[in-house]
Amino acid sequence: MSKLEKLYRYLNNETEERVCKDITQEACKHVPKNYFLLIFSSVFSKLGDTLSNPKTVLTWLMSYVSAPVYLISLIVPIRESGSMVPQVYLSKFVKQQPIRKWIWVMGSLFQFLAIASIGFITLYFEGTTAGWLIIAAVILFSLSRSLCSISSKDVTGKTIPKTRRGKLKGYTVSISGILVLAAGLFILYQSKNEQTITFYSNLIFFASVMWLIAALIYSRIKEFPETIQTDNDQQSGFLSKLRLLKTDPNFRAFVIARSLLLCSALTAPYYIVLSQKYIGKEAYLLGLFIIARGIAAIISAPTWGRLADKSSKNVMAIAVTIASALGIITFFIVSYFDTIRTLVWLYPVAFFILGIAHGGVRLGRKTYIVDMAKGNKRTDYVSVSNTVIGLILLVTGGLSALVSLLSIEGVVLVLSLFGLLGAYKSFKLSEIK
């Protein structure tokens, strides 16, 4: 037994014959190697994602180059929905590929180019010009991300057995959290010195290289061809795929629940805005938020992963309940306790708790949809749900941005109340065995 095999068995508490549920016997022979290739490719992409996150780093960066506020407000909904909405159209192309890892590799390479271009933009442009160029780069990044999103579920489903996928995601998030923590500590240390645009652009360049490394690792995955089913135009159209929401009640219930779980993602920028409003815009705060996110991932992801392999729907329900309770408590603190709301530690701690909750929401819903179906049906589920959620995100994000002009904490409260409804809907989902 190889060391890789022993480590795989140890991490998954496997003492008897290897579990091969929901994958072919041929694929089962390569599970340990694929398991660690998936972990490390995801670790590098997640680190790059954190170091160029629109909710923190890109917002800071665009503000630094004096981009208009209205352009800064666009990057989060464009980045999130832009990676989701095209998926129902891209799914036809993906389903025609017997080997789908190369789609992920291609998407990762385009993300490398998009983020690297932002580094050059910040060095040579400023103001409105820099803002629009960064928006264009974010659009390219989002479209590339959609290729990775829609193909990764298929590759995971074909190479990793059921009851092991949640742990895979948990270990991935935990390891990347360690690297994110190190990056946050570095930024916190550097905040003692005078920050220049060169520092931030180098941070972006470093982030872009993470996708290049991830693509190289992912290309080594052993994936076996899948039988291609040729769809006619009627069966493969957008409206035809949307009929899944009508004909598949459990899938419809999942999409409804997932739309209500958006509070964990949409409230995140408002915690940063609240900290800037009541504490200030000092550079060390950026480091604290990144550190909080890293620690949250390290301590929570393995637990969420183990729980998701037992009941991914319950993970979704528990995690969004935590996010909603945090939002309601934050609303009352900011609204009625003037002394507490000016404490420096309040917002990084809140961001830390939100990081734990959002990690559970993401891991739970991803495990649920991968386990829900197999083959091309899984591709349809992923593409339809992501496209619908992307459209909802655009509308909800736009409305939240408008309401935030009146009350930032009010938006946090409303989104958190919707999250409680999402917890109920998640709990009522059918259990996937």
Side-chain angles (χ1 to χ4, degrees):
M1 186 183 295
S2 67
K3 291 182 180 180
L4 204 64
E5 173 84 12
K6 290 179 181 179
L7 181 58
Y8 171 79
R9 286 182 173 273
Y10 172 76
L11 291 175
N12 290 280
N13 299 317
E14 233 175 58
T15 56
E16 301 177 358
E17 187 177 352
R18 183 184 301 163
V19 173
C20 296
K21 189 176 181 181
D22 200 37
I23 62 172
T24 66
Q25 286 299 317
E26 193 176 28
C28 191
K29 298 175 184 177
H30 302 273
V31 166
K33 179 182 177 182
N34 286 336
Y35 192 85
F36 291 104
L37 288 172
L38 283 167
I39 284 179
F40 286 108
S41 61
S42 296
V43 162
F44 282 106
S45 65
K46 286 182 182 296
L47 178 59
D49 196 50
T50 298
L51 296 179
S52 59
N53 195 290
K55 299 171 186 175
T56 51
V57 179
L58 289 189
T59 297
W60 228 273
L61 194 63
M62 289 184 76
S63 178
Y64 200 94
V65 297
S66 303
V69 175
Y70 70 88
L71 289 179
I72 295 175
S73 67
L74 289 176
I75 58 173
V76 172
I78 285 176
R79 191 261 204 175
E80 297 294 334
S81 61
S83 64
M84 294 181 180
V85 173
Q87 290 192 19
V88 77
Y89 302 101
L90 293 171
S91 64
K92 183 178 180 180
F93 166 72
V94 173
K95 288 165 65 176
Q96 291 172 346
Q97 312 306 312
I99 298 292
R100 296 173 183 176
K101 69 176 184 179
W102 297 115
I103 298 173
W104 196 97
V105 171
M106 180 173 62
S108 188
L109 290 174
F110 279 126
Q111 287 179 84
F112 156 70
L113 293 173
I115 298 302
S117 69
I118 293 178
F120 285 108
I121 290 165
T122 55
L123 280 176
Y124 299 108
F125 299 92
E126 60 181 22
T128 304
T129 303
W132 279 113
L133 288 173
I134 290 174
I135 290 293
V138 170
I139 291 172
L140 173 61
F141 175 84
S142 298
L143 294 174
S144 307
R145 188 181 178 87
S146 66
L147 287 172
C148 292
S149 176
I150 197 171
S151 58
S152 65
K153 310 295 190 303
D154 285 336
V155 175
T156 300
K158 289 169 66 178
T159 59
I160 306 299
K162 272 187 179 180
T163 73
R164 299 295 180 262
R165 296 164 184 166
K167 292 186 185 71
L168 169 70
K169 293 181 177 68
Y171 289 131
T172 296
V173 176
S174 186
I175 295 171
S176 62
I178 295 172
L179 298 179
V180 168
L181 175 60
L185 289 170
F186 175 74
I187 293 172
L188 187 63
Y189 172 77
Q190 286 294 319
S191 69
K192 298 177 182 178
N193 305 320
E194 184 180 354
Q195 298 303 307
T196 65
I197 195 60
T198 303
F199 170 78
Y200 288 112
S201 60
N202 285 340
L203 185 68
I204 294 297
F205 286 134
F206 179 79
S208 70
V209 173
M210 297 301 100
W211 276 285
L212 187 59
I213 296 173
L216 293 173
I217 295 173
Y218 208 88
S219 68
R220 305 296 297 169
I221 290 172
K222 183 65 174 177
E223 180 192 357
F224 292 93
E226 184 169 337
T227 303
I228 302 302
Q229 299 175 358
T230 304
D231 293 340
N232 59 42
D233 290 340
Q234 280 189 323
Q235 291 176 327
S236 61
F238 175 67
L239 293 178
S240 176
K241 289 186 173 66
L242 285 182
R243 288 194 189 101
L244 279 171
L245 295 170
K246 180 179 180 181
T247 60
D248 192 326
N250 193 50
F251 176 61
R252 180 174 65 248
F254 168 76
V255 172
I256 292 171
R258 185 183 170 186
S259 66
L260 293 167
L261 302 181
L262 288 174
C263 79
S264 68
L266 289 174
T267 55
Y270 297 109
Y271 286 92
I272 292 178
V273 173
L274 286 171
S275 74
Q276 291 177 331
K277 181 178 179 180
Y278 295 110
I279 306 298
K281 297 183 179 180
E282 288 78 4
Y284 72 88
L285 276 173
L286 175 60
L288 289 177
F289 281 119
I290 293 177
I291 289 170
R293 180 174 178 173
I295 296 176
I298 293 168
I299 68 173
S300 68
T303 302
W304 287 134
R306 287 192 294 270
L307 292 175
D309 282 333
K310 295 179 181 178
S311 176
S312 51
K313 76 180 185 72
N314 287 346
V315 166
M316 292 158 59
I318 294 168
V320 78
T321 299
I322 295 172
S324 297
L326 173 69
I328 293 169
I329 292 170
T330 300
F331 169 79
F332 282 104
I333 289 176
V334 173
S335 300
Y336 301 108
F337 297 90
D338 295 353
T339 303
I340 299 178
R341 74 183 183 188
T342 57
L343 296 175
V344 173
W345 57 263
L346 175 65
Y347 303 100
V349 168
F351 206 70
F352 163 73
I353 297 171
L354 184 65
I356 291 177
H358 185 56
V361 168
R362 284 174 57 86
L363 203 149
R365 67 168 173 77
K366 287 184 177 183
T367 303
Y368 192 90
I369 199 166
V370 170
D371 289 348
M372 196 190 300
K374 62 181 68 176
N376 286 333
K377 192 171 185 181
R378 183 187 292 120
T379 307
D380 287 339
Y381 277 175
V382 172
S383 62
V384 171
S385 65
N386 281 350
T387 297
V388 171
I389 295 300
L391 292 171
I392 293 173
L393 187 61
L394 272 178
V395 175
T396 308
L399 291 174
S400 298
L402 289 174
V403 177
S404 68
L405 296 175
L406 302 175
S407 172
I408 297 170
E409 53 271 28
V411 176
V412 173
L413 176 64
V414 172
L415 290 173
S416 299
L417 293 175
F418 277 111
L420 291 178
L421 181 58
Y424 171 76
K425 290 290 187 181
S426 299
F427 181 74
K428 298 295 288 184
L429 290 172
S430 300
E431 197 72 79
I432 301 295
K433 299 296 185 182

